[in-house]
Coordinates of all heavy atoms in Angstrom, one line a residue:
M886 N 147.6 83.1 33.2 CA 146.8 81.9 33.3 C 146.8 81.5 34.8 O 147.7 81.7 35.5 CB 147.5 80.8 32.5 CG 146.8 79.5 32.5 SD 145.2 79.5 31.7 CE 145.6 79.5 30.0
T887 N 145.6 81.1 35.2 CA 145.4 80.6 36.6 C 145.1 79.1 36.6 O 144.9 78.6 35.5 CB 144.2 81.4 37.3 OG1 143.0 80.8 36.8 CG2 144.3 82.9 37.0
P888 N 145.1 78.5 37.7 CA 144.7 77.1 37.7 C 143.3 76.8 37.2 O 142.9 75.7 36.9 CB 144.8 76.7 39.2 CG 145.8 77.7 39.8 CD 145.6 78.9 39.0
Y889 N 142.5 77.9 37.2 CA 141.1 77.8 36.7 C 140.9 78.2 35.3 O 139.8 78.2 34.8 CB 140.2 78.6 37.7 CG 140.2 78.1 39.1 CD1 141.1 78.7 40.0 CD2 139.5 77.0 39.5 CE1 141.2 78.2 41.3 CE2 139.5 76.6 40.8 CZ 140.4 77.2 41.7 OH 140.5 76.7 43.0
G890 N 141.9 78.7 34.7 CA 141.7 79.2 33.3 C 142.3 80.7 33.2 O 142.8 81.2 34.2
R891 N 142.0 81.3 32.1 CA 142.6 82.6 31.8 C 141.8 83.7 32.6 O 140.5 83.7 32.5 CB 142.5 82.9 30.3 CG 143.1 84.3 30.0 CD 143.1 84.5 28.5 NE 144.0 83.7 27.8 CZ 145.3 83.9 27.7 NH1 145.8 84.9 28.3 NH2 146.1 83.1 27.0
A892 N 142.5 84.6 33.2 CA 141.9 85.8 33.9 C 142.5 86.9 33.0 O 143.7 87.0 32.7 CB 142.4 85.9 35.3
E893 N 141.6 87.9 32.7 CA 142.0 89.0 31.9 C 141.5 90.3 32.4 O 140.4 90.3 33.1 CB 141.4 88.9 30.5 CG 141.9 87.6 29.7 CD 141.2 87.5 28.3 OE1 140.9 88.6 27.7 OE2 141.0 86.4 27.9
V894 N 142.3 91.4 32.2 CA 141.8 92.7 32.5 C 142.4 93.6 31.4 O 143.5 93.5 31.0 CB 142.2 93.1 33.9 CG1 143.7 93.2 34.1 CG2 141.6 94.5 34.3
S895 N 141.6 94.6 31.0 CA 142.1 95.6 30.1 C 141.4 96.9 30.5 O 140.3 96.9 31.1 CB 141.8 95.3 28.6 OG 140.4 95.2 28.4
W896 N 142.0 98.0 30.2 CA 141.4 99.3 30.4 C 141.7 100.3 29.3 O 142.7 100.1 28.6 CB 141.9 99.9 31.8 CG 143.3 100.1 31.9 CD1 144.3 99.3 32.2 CD2 144.0 101.4 31.6 NE1 145.5 99.9 32.2 CE2 145.4 101.2 31.8 CE3 143.5 102.6 31.2 CZ2 146.3 102.2 31.6 CZ3 144.5 103.6 31.0 CH2 145.8 103.4 31.2
R897 N 140.9 101.3 29.3 CA 141.1 102.4 28.3 C 140.5 103.6 28.9 O 139.6 103.6 29.7 CB 140.5 102.0 26.9 CG 139.0 101.9 26.9 CD 138.5 101.1 25.7 NE 137.2 100.7 25.8 CZ 136.8 99.7 26.5 NH1 137.6 98.9 27.2 NH2 135.5 99.4 26.6
R898 N 141.0 104.8 28.4 CA 140.5 106.0 28.9 C 140.1 106.9 27.7 O 140.9 107.1 26.8 CB 141.5 106.7 29.7 CG 141.0 107.8 30.6 CD 142.0 108.1 31.7 NE 142.9 109.1 31.1 CZ 144.0 109.6 31.8 NH1 144.3 109.1 33.0 NH2 144.7 110.5 31.3
A899 N 138.9 107.4 27.7 CA 138.4 108.3 26.6 C 137.9 109.5 27.3 O 136.9 109.5 28.0 CB 137.3 107.6 25.8
G900 N 138.6 110.6 27.1 CA 138.2 111.8 27.7 C 138.3 111.7 29.2 O 139.3 111.3 29.8
E901 N 137.2 111.9 29.9 CA 137.1 111.8 31.4 C 136.4 110.5 31.8 O 135.8 110.5 32.9 CB 136.5 113.0 31.9 CG 137.3 114.3 31.7 CD 136.8 115.5 32.3 OE1 135.8 115.4 33.0 OE2 137.3 116.6 32.0
V902 N 136.5 109.4 31.0 CA 135.8 108.2 31.4 C 136.9 107.0 31.3 O 137.6 106.9 30.4 CB 134.6 107.8 30.4 CG1 134.1 106.5 30.8 CG2 133.6 108.9 30.5
L903 N 136.9 106.3 32.4 CA 137.8 105.1 32.5 C 136.9 103.9 32.3 O 135.9 103.7 33.0 CB 138.5 105.0 33.9 CG 139.3 103.8 34.2 CD1 140.5 103.7 33.3 CD2 139.7 103.8 35.6
S904 N 137.2 103.1 31.3 CA 136.5 101.8 31.1 C 137.4 100.6 31.4 O 138.6 100.6 30.9 CB 136.1 101.8 29.6 OG 135.3 102.9 29.3
V905 N 136.9 99.7 32.1 CA 137.6 98.5 32.5 C 136.8 97.2 32.1 O 135.7 97.1 32.4 CB 137.9 98.5 34.0 CG1 138.7 97.2 34.4 CG2 138.7 99.7 34.4
D906 N 137.5 96.3 31.4 CA 136.9 95.0 31.0 C 137.7 93.9 31.8 O 138.9 93.9 31.8 CB 137.0 94.8 29.5 CG 136.2 95.9 28.8 OD1 135.0 96.1 29.2 OD2 136.7 96.4 27.8
V907 N 136.9 93.0 32.4 CA 137.6 91.9 33.0 C 136.9 90.6 32.6 O 135.7 90.6 32.2 CB 137.5 92.0 34.6 CG1 138.2 93.2 35.1 CG2 136.1 92.0 35.1
V908 N 137.7 89.5 32.6 CA 137.1 88.2 32.3 C 137.6 87.3 33.5 O 138.8 87.2 33.8 CB 137.6 87.6 31.0 CG1 137.1 86.1 30.8 CG2 137.2 88.4 29.8
V909 N 136.6 86.7 34.2 CA 136.8 85.9 35.4 C 136.7 84.4 35.0 O 135.7 84.1 34.4 CB 135.8 86.3 36.5 CG1 136.1 85.5 37.8 CG2 135.9 87.8 36.8
P910 N 137.7 83.6 35.4 CA 137.6 82.2 35.1 C 136.4 81.5 35.7 O 136.0 81.9 36.8 CB 138.9 81.6 35.6 CG 139.8 82.8 35.8 CD 138.9 83.9 36.1
T911 N 136.0 80.4 35.1 CA 134.9 79.6 35.7 C 135.3 79.1 37.0 O 136.4 78.7 37.3 CB 134.6 78.4 34.7 OG1 134.3 78.9 33.4 CG2 133.6 77.5 35.2
G912 N 134.3 79.1 37.9 CA 134.6 78.5 39.3 C 135.3 79.5 40.2 O 135.7 79.1 41.3
T913 N 135.4 80.8 39.8 CA 136.0 81.8 40.7 C 135.2 83.0 40.8 O 134.2 83.2 40.0 CB 137.4 82.1 40.1 OG1 137.3 82.8 38.9 CG2 138.3 80.9 40.0
V914 N 135.6 83.9 41.6 CA 135.0 85.3 41.7 C 136.2 86.3 41.7 O 137.3 85.9 42.0 CB 134.2 85.5 43.0 CG1 133.0 84.6 42.9 CG2 135.0 85.3 44.2
A915 N 135.9 87.5 41.4 CA 136.9 88.6 41.4 C 136.4 89.8 42.1 O 135.1 90.0 42.0 CB 137.4 88.9 40.0
R916 N 137.2 90.5 42.7 CA 136.8 91.8 43.3 C 137.4 92.9 42.4 O 138.6 92.9 42.2 CB 137.4 91.9 44.7 CG 136.9 93.2 45.4 CD 137.3 93.3 46.8 NE 136.7 92.2 47.6 CZ 137.3 91.7 48.6 NH1 138.5 92.1 49.1 NH2 136.7 90.7 49.3
V917 N 136.5 93.8 42.0 CA 136.9 94.9 41.1 C 136.7 96.2 41.8 O 135.6 96.4 42.4 CB 136.0 94.9 39.8 CG1 136.4 96.0 38.9 CG2 136.2 93.5 39.1
R918 N 137.8 97.0 41.8 CA 137.7 98.3 42.5 C 138.2 99.4 41.6 O 139.3 99.4 41.2 CB 138.5 98.2 43.8 CG 138.4 99.5 44.6 CD 139.1 99.3 45.9 NE 139.1 100.5 46.7 CZ 139.8 100.7 47.8 NH1 140.5 99.7 48.3 NH2 139.7 101.9 48.4
L919 N 137.3 100.3 41.3 CA 137.6 101.4 40.4 C 137.8 102.7 41.3 O 137.3 102.8 42.4 CB 136.5 101.7 39.4 CG 136.2 100.5 38.5 CD1 135.0 100.9 37.6 CD2 137.4 100.1 37.7
P920 N 138.5 103.6 40.8 CA 138.8 104.9 41.5 C 137.5 105.5 42.0 O 136.6 105.7 41.2 CB 139.5 105.8 40.6 CG 140.1 104.8 39.5 CD 139.2 103.7 39.4
G921 N 137.4 105.8 43.3 CA 136.3 106.5 43.8 C 135.0 105.7 44.0 O 133.9 106.2 44.2
R922 N 135.1 104.4 43.8 CA 134.0 103.5 43.9 C 134.3 102.4 44.9 O 135.4 102.0 45.1 CB 133.7 102.8 42.5 CG 133.4 103.7 41.4 CD 131.9 104.0 41.3 NE 131.5 105.0 40.4 CZ 131.0 104.7 39.2 NH1 130.8 103.5 38.8 NH2 130.7 105.7 38.4
A923 N 133.2 101.9 45.5 CA 133.4 100.7 46.4 C 133.7 99.5 45.5 O 133.3 99.4 44.4 CB 132.1 100.5 47.2
A924 N 134.4 98.5 46.1 CA 134.7 97.3 45.4 C 133.4 96.5 45.1 O 132.5 96.5 46.0 CB 135.7 96.5 46.2
V925 N 133.4 95.8 44.0 CA 132.3 94.9 43.7 C 132.8 93.5 43.4 O 133.9 93.4 42.9 CB 131.4 95.4 42.5 CG1 130.7 96.7 42.8 CG2 132.2 95.5 41.3
E926 N 132.1 92.5 43.8 CA 132.5 91.1 43.5 C 131.7 90.6 42.4 O 130.5 90.7 42.3 CB 132.3 90.3 44.8 CG 133.0 89.0 44.7 CD 133.0 88.3 46.1 OE1 133.9 88.6 46.9 OE2 132.1 87.4 46.3
V927 N 132.4 90.0 41.4 CA 131.7 89.5 40.2 C 132.1 88.0 40.0 O 133.2 87.6 40.4 CB 132.1 90.3 38.9 CG1 131.5 91.7 39.1 CG2 133.6 90.3 38.7
G928 N 131.2 87.3 39.4 CA 131.4 85.9 39.2 C 132.1 85.6 37.8 O 132.5 86.6 37.1
P929 N 132.1 84.4 37.4 CA 132.7 84.0 36.1 C 132.2 84.7 34.9 O 131.0 85.1 34.9 CB 132.5 82.5 36.0 CG 132.1 82.1 37.4 CD 131.5 83.2 38.0
G930 N 133.0 84.9 33.9 CA 132.6 85.5 32.6 C 133.1 86.9 32.4 O 133.9 87.4 33.2
P931 N 132.7 87.5 31.3 CA 133.1 88.9 31.0 C 132.3 89.9 31.7 O 131.1 89.8 31.9 CB 132.9 89.0 29.5 CG 131.8 88.0 29.2 CD 131.9 86.9 30.2
H932 N 132.9 91.0 32.1 CA 132.3 92.1 32.8 C 132.9 93.4 32.4 O 134.1 93.5 32.1 CB 132.4 92.0 34.4 CG 131.9 90.7 34.9 ND1 130.6 90.5 35.2 CD2 132.6 89.5 35.2 CE1 130.5 89.3 35.7 NE2 131.7 88.7 35.6
S933 N 132.1 94.5 32.3 CA 132.6 95.8 31.9 C 132.1 96.8 32.9 O 131.0 96.8 33.4 CB 132.0 96.2 30.5 OG 132.5 95.3 29.5
F934 N 133.0 97.8 33.1 CA 132.7 98.8 34.1 C 133.2 100.2 33.6 O 134.2 100.2 32.8 CB 133.5 98.6 35.4 CG 133.2 97.2 36.0 CD1 134.0 96.1 35.7 CD2 132.2 97.1 36.9 CE1 133.7 94.9 36.3 CE2 131.9 95.8 37.5 CZ 132.6 94.8 37.2
E935 N 132.6 101.2 34.0 CA 133.0 102.6 33.7 C 132.9 103.5 34.9 O 132.0 103.3 35.7 CB 132.1 103.2 32.5 CG 132.4 102.6 31.2 CD 131.6 103.3 30.1 OE1 130.7 104.1 30.4 OE2 131.9 103.1 28.9
C936 N 133.8 104.5 34.9 CA 133.7 105.5 36.0 C 134.3 106.8 35.5 O 135.1 106.8 34.6 CB 134.3 105.0 37.3 SG 136.1 104.9 37.2
P937 N 133.9 107.9 36.1 CA 134.5 109.1 35.7 C 136.0 109.1 36.2 O 136.3 108.5 37.2 CB 133.7 110.2 36.5 CG 132.7 109.5 37.3 CD 132.8 108.0 37.1
F938 N 136.8 109.8 35.4 CA 138.3 109.9 35.8 C 138.8 111.2 35.2 O 138.3 111.7 34.3 CB 139.0 108.7 35.1 CG 140.3 108.4 35.8 CD1 140.4 107.9 37.1 CD2 141.5 108.6 35.1 CE1 141.6 107.6 37.6 CE2 142.7 108.4 35.7 CZ 142.8 107.9 36.9
R939 N 139.9 111.7 35.8 CA 140.4 112.9 35.4 C 140.8 112.9 33.9 O 141.1 111.9 33.3 CB 141.6 113.3 36.2 CG 142.8 112.5 36.0 CD 144.1 112.9 36.8 NE 145.1 111.9 36.6 CZ 145.3 110.9 37.5 NH1 144.6 110.8 38.6 NH2 146.3 110.1 37.2
A940 N 140.8 114.1 33.3 CA 141.2 114.2 31.9 C 142.7 113.9 31.7 O 143.4 114.2 32.7 CB 140.8 115.6 31.4
P941 N 143.1 113.4 30.6 CA 144.6 113.2 30.4 C 145.4 114.4 30.7 O 146.5 114.3 31.2 CB 144.7 112.7 29.0 CG 143.3 112.0 28.7 CD 142.3 112.9 29.5
A942 N 144.9 115.6 30.3 CA 145.7 116.8 30.5 C 145.9 117.1 32.0 O 146.9 117.8 32.3 CB 144.9 118.0 29.9
D943 N 145.1 116.5 32.9 CA 145.3 116.7 34.3 C 146.2 115.6 35.0 O 146.3 115.6 36.2 CB 143.9 116.7 35.0 CG 143.1 117.9 34.5 OD1 143.7 118.9 34.2 OD2 141.8 117.8 34.6
D944 N 146.7 114.7 34.2 CA 147.6 113.7 34.8 C 148.9 114.3 35.4 O 149.4 115.3 34.8 CB 148.0 112.7 33.7 CG 147.0 111.7 33.3 OD1 145.9 111.7 34.0 OD2 147.2 110.9 32.3
P945 N 149.4 113.7 36.5 CA 150.6 114.2 37.0 C 151.7 114.0 36.0 O 151.7 113.1 35.2 CB 150.8 113.4 38.3 CG 149.8 112.3 38.2 CD 148.8 112.6 37.2
G946 N 152.8 114.8 36.1 CA 154.0 114.6 35.3 C 154.6 113.2 35.5 O 154.5 112.6 36.5
V947 N 155.3 112.8 34.5 CA 156.1 111.5 34.6 C 157.5 111.8 35.0 O 158.1 112.7 34.5 CB 156.1 110.8 33.2 CG1 156.9 109.6 33.3 CG2 154.7 110.5 32.7
L948 N 158.0 111.1 36.0 CA 159.3 111.3 36.5 C 160.3 110.6 35.5 O 160.1 109.5 35.0 CB 159.5 110.7 37.9 CG 158.6 111.3 39.0 CD1 158.8 110.5 40.3 CD2 159.0 112.7 39.2
D949 N 161.4 111.2 35.3 CA 162.4 110.7 34.4 C 163.5 110.1 35.3 O 164.3 110.8 35.9 CB 163.0 111.8 33.5 CG 164.0 111.2 32.5 OD1 164.4 110.0 32.6 OD2 164.4 112.0 31.7
A950 N 163.6 108.7 35.4 CA 164.5 108.0 36.3 C 165.9 108.0 35.7 O 166.9 107.6 36.4 CB 164.0 106.6 36.5
T951 N 166.1 108.5 34.5 CA 167.5 108.5 33.9 C 168.3 109.7 34.3 O 169.5 109.8 34.0 CB 167.4 108.4 32.4 OG1 166.7 109.6 31.9 CG2 166.6 107.2 31.9
R952 N 167.7 110.7 35.0 CA 168.4 111.9 35.4 C 169.0 111.8 36.7 O 168.6 111.1 37.6 CB 167.5 113.1 35.4 CG 167.0 113.4 34.0 CD 166.2 114.6 34.0 NE 165.6 114.8 32.7 CZ 164.9 115.8 32.3 NH1 164.7 116.8 33.2 NH2 164.3 115.9 31.2

């Protein structure tokens, strides 16, 4: 929650596409920057974005901090 209302962001990845949904509170703007893309400024309301992204099989390994 912000002083202007709820700000939201969610993302999902399907294959080699990254999808990002944002909701910007009334009276504000947000800067959205996706991998490999220039930042864009968006006004209040819901916005959806997509960009190419590596396949899940190409993700770097996860480090195990318990070792």
Side-chain angles (χ1 to χ4, degrees):
M886 185 64 77
T887 75
Y889 299 96
R891 182 178 291 281
E893 299 178 32
V894 63
S895 64
W896 63 272
R897 63 197 166 285
R898 200 164 85 185
E901 295 182 9
V902 176
L903 174 66
S904 300
V905 178
D906 297 314
V907 299
V908 177
V909 181
T911 301
T913 66
V914 295
R916 183 175 299 150
V917 179
R918 185 172 173 189
L919 300 178
R922 301 269 174 104
V925 296
E926 195 168 276
V927 296
H932 304 275
S933 296
F934 303 91
E935 288 187 345
C936 71
F938 199 69
R939 70 177 172 264
D943 296 332
D944 284 352
V947 177
L948 296 176
D949 184 351
T951 62
R952 294 184 191 186

